[in-house]
Amino acid sequence: MASHRKSRTPGPRVAGIRTPALATAALTSVALLSQTANAAPTDDDKPSLEEVERKVDDLYRQAESATEKYNAAKERTAKQRKRVDTLLDDVAKRTQRLNEAREELGSFAAAQYRTGAGIPDTATFLLADSPQDVFDQRQLMDRMTGRQKEAVDDYVTQQSETMRTRQEATKSLETLTESQGDLKTAKATVQRKLTDARELMAKLTAEEKARLAAIEKEKREEAARKAAELARQQQAQREAAQQDSGAGTQDPSGSGSSGSSGSTTAPPADASYATKAEKALAFARAQIGKPYVWGATGPDSYDCSGLTQGAWKSAGVTLPRTTYDQVDAGTTVPVSQAQPGDLVFFYDDVTHVGIYIGNGKMIHAPKPGTYVREESIFYDGESSIHSVVRPA
């Protein structure tokens, strides 16, 4: 008998289960959302140009920080290598003297043997391990001539000093190995940060690079404005100082101070400082246009601390190699009282330095890919300035 049930159009199935129309629509939406999530990122996912700029600047900052660590490790390594060479040379000389002392002892023993004297080999006293040996040593020493005793004393001294120097050389070699490891690590860090920065810049389109250049131009204009403002402030301070105390009797920079430096007053300037600063600045100006190369100290290229060190060296003042040490090599003064020749340090970790030339400007070696140049001390914003130091 035929069935009277009305047949239904089969609906879609998922995993063998018939689904109603509403469930079908939901599954379709899920599939579309999944496709969207797996799709390539859109422009909205890309970092903004400002974010890229901050990232690049940060990478260069990290590279410069690693450069100063590299400079410190390089300096330590050079000093340690010199120390090791000195110790090894000392070991060689002491070993030679020890051999000579041993030969002299041997000549005494041979003479005793030829004459039939019943004195045992004088070198055996060095091997005392028991009370009897000690007694024998004392007896032997009583029977030795003055020259023989001097020979024995010299041998003992040379042996002791040679062993001590060898131990010191061994420790210095271990320290040298550690310094070389630090140097290698710092070098690798610099290279990695610079590579990351270059790759990030390489991903920018021509239009983005043009926009980035426009942002940099605005920053330079703002920095120039701040420099001019500082120059006017310093000029006003000089004029006020001349009116109050007479020209030439007070610090030509005035007695004002920057907002972040409280009421600190710079030490009085003198003719000797001005003369040295002039020589340092003449050197720095002669380097303008030379490339920044991390770890370089001239004469064809410089990093930031290499430039300031070279500038003041030309004036007869020896500065340490790194920014970390240079910042302590003088007297800190307020930014508002900065004088030509002063060192301007940047960032909380003190990883950059330039030499002040007046009117809110400095000469510095900025970063990889740039050249030694004259620039506002506000090139990276007023908050980036760490301190100003007068080195001599």
Side-chain angles (χ1 to χ4, degrees):
M1 184 174 179
S3 172
H4 295 287
R5 270 187 272 178
K6 187 177 180 181
S7 63
R8 293 186 296 177
T9 303
R13 292 175 177 266
V14 177
I17 302 175
R18 191 186 305 274
T19 59
L22 185 59
T24 300
L27 287 171
T28 302
S29 298
V30 169
L32 290 173
L33 287 173
S34 177
Q35 292 175 3
T36 302
N38 293 328
T42 65
D43 289 341
D44 292 337
D45 298 321
K46 292 178 61 177
S48 68
L49 201 57
E50 288 76 11
E51 291 173 334
V52 171
E53 182 192 30
R54 284 195 296 271
K55 180 63 174 177
V56 170
D57 287 346
D58 186 53
L59 285 169
Y60 277 126
R61 281 271 324 278
Q62 292 177 35
E64 195 161 34
S65 176
T67 295
E68 290 304 312
K69 292 178 181 178
Y70 169 86
N71 291 339
K74 185 177 180 181
E75 189 172 41
R76 285 196 305 272
T77 300
K79 289 180 178 179
Q80 198 61 39
R81 183 177 288 112
K82 185 176 180 180
R83 174 64 176 160
V84 167
D85 290 343
T86 300
L87 285 171
L88 291 177
D89 185 56
D90 194 18
V91 166
K93 292 178 180 178
R94 291 188 180 282
T95 300
Q96 177 63 28
R97 288 196 289 268
L98 179 63
N99 290 335
E100 292 170 355
R102 183 182 292 113
E103 289 175 1
E104 188 169 9
L105 280 178
S107 66
F108 282 127
Q112 291 164 359
Y113 177 79
R114 288 194 301 271
T115 60
I119 302 175
D121 185 350
T122 54
T124 60
F125 86 99
L126 298 172
L127 305 176
D129 291 321
S130 67
Q132 182 61 45
D133 288 336
V134 174
F135 176 78
D136 291 341
Q137 284 183 18
R138 289 175 179 172
Q139 293 295 313
L140 175 61
M141 293 298 290
D142 289 340
R143 296 164 62 187
M144 282 183 177
T145 66
R147 185 67 193 91
Q148 287 174 322
K149 291 179 180 179
E150 289 178 3
V152 170
D153 288 342
D154 183 48
Y155 180 84
V156 173
T157 299
Q158 295 302 330
Q159 186 181 51
S160 175
E161 288 297 317
T162 300
M163 291 179 62
R164 181 191 61 78
T165 306
R166 284 175 177 169
Q167 291 172 349
E168 189 174 354
T170 299
K171 292 180 180 179
S172 293
L173 280 169
E174 293 173 354
T175 303
L176 175 60
T177 300
E178 293 176 1
S179 296
Q180 290 174 328
D182 294 340
L183 185 65
K184 184 177 180 180
T185 299
K187 182 177 182 179
T189 300
V190 175
Q191 293 174 331
R192 184 174 66 253
K193 298 300 181 183
L194 294 180
T195 297
D196 290 345
R198 284 192 292 266
E199 290 178 350
L200 196 57
M201 289 296 294
K203 294 177 181 179
L204 298 179
T205 65
E207 180 182 356
E208 288 173 330
K209 290 179 180 178
R211 286 169 52 201
L212 193 59
I215 293 175
E216 289 294 327
K217 182 180 178 182
E218 290 178 2
K219 288 177 63 176
R220 287 195 300 270
E221 291 173 349
E222 173 63 16
R225 186 188 67 77
K226 294 288 292 183
E229 180 182 325
L230 176 59
R232 288 192 294 269
Q233 180 185 2
Q234 291 178 329
Q235 179 62 29
Q237 290 172 357
R238 287 191 292 268
E239 292 174 354
Q242 290 172 355
Q243 291 175 359
D244 291 343
S245 305
T249 62
Q250 296 291 324
D251 179 359
S253 288
S255 58
S257 62
S258 66
S260 61
S261 300
S263 58
T264 304
T265 301
D270 55 36
S272 64
Y273 180 79
T275 300
K276 293 174 183 177
E278 186 177 351
K279 292 180 180 178
L281 289 174
F283 178 95
R285 288 191 177 96
Q287 314 314 312
I288 291 177
K290 292 184 179 180
Y292 175 105
V293 174
W294 63 274
T297 56
D300 300 321
S301 58
Y302 295 87
D303 63 17
C304 66
S305 55
L307 176 64
T308 52
Q309 184 187 49
W312 272 103
K313 183 179 180 180
S314 71
V317 177
T318 301
L319 292 181
R321 175 64 183 94
T322 69
T323 55
Y324 310 129
D325 294 325
Q326 288 183 10
V327 74
D328 295 323
T331 303
T332 301
V333 301
V335 174
S336 64
Q337 295 181 38
Q339 295 180 11
D342 291 350
L343 302 179
V344 187
F345 294 90
F346 297 85
Y347 312 117
D348 292 339
D349 53 358
V350 198
T351 53
H352 188 66
V353 63
I355 183 166
Y356 192 67
I357 62 175
N359 296 323
K361 297 180 181 179
M362 66 178 173
I363 295 174
H364 69 147
K367 61 184 179 181
T370 62
Y371 298 83
V372 176
R373 66 193 183 200
E374 181 181 312
E375 194 163 27
S376 166
I377 65 173
F378 302 102
Y379 81 107
D380 202 20
E382 186 172 4
S383 62
S384 68
I385 299 177
H386 177 274
S387 58
V388 178
V389 172
R390 191 156 299 156

